[in-house]
Amino acid sequence: MVRTALTPWERSRGEHFGALIRRARGDRSMVEVAAAAGVSAETLRKIETGRAPTPAFFTVAALAATLGLSLDELAEAAALAAGAESDTEARSA
């Protein structure tokens, strides 16, 4: 199956989502958080760096539960951050 290319907004949203996860992880090690969430450290690294901008729902849910984040708040924050960036780009064009 071939994946369709991500839009700039989707890429931006993934980068912002990764940054939110990274901030929530704080001083805890990537390996510790990944193990607690039941995902690989490589998967968590890809999410945090924006290289996996559309992680599976259950991965997101497991990370949110491990980090004490609300799925609603996480989704809203990532979308708003990416939307704000898109608005800024549109205004400067």
Side-chain angles (χ1 to χ4, degrees):
M1 179 169 88
V2 176
R3 290 182 62 141
T4 58
L6 297 173
T7 66
W9 183 82
E10 289 169 325
R11 282 192 301 276
S12 178
R13 182 187 59 193
E15 290 168 3
H16 288 286
F17 176 77
L20 290 168
I21 293 294
R22 173 64 189 100
R23 282 193 302 273
R25 182 166 62 83
D27 293 335
R28 292 186 278 178
S29 78
M30 190 176 284
V31 172
E32 173 190 344
V33 171
V39 301
S40 71
E42 178 65 11
T43 295
L44 180 55
R45 186 182 66 74
K46 286 180 180 178
I47 292 169
E48 286 187 0
T49 60
R51 288 188 50 227
T54 58
F57 171 78
F58 292 106
T59 300
V60 173
L63 287 170
T66 299
L67 297 170
L69 299 170
S70 156
L71 287 175
D72 290 336
E73 292 170 343
L74 189 58
E76 183 178 348
L80 286 175
E85 185 174 290
S86 293
D87 290 345
T88 301
E89 289 174 1
R91 277 185 251 133
S92 66

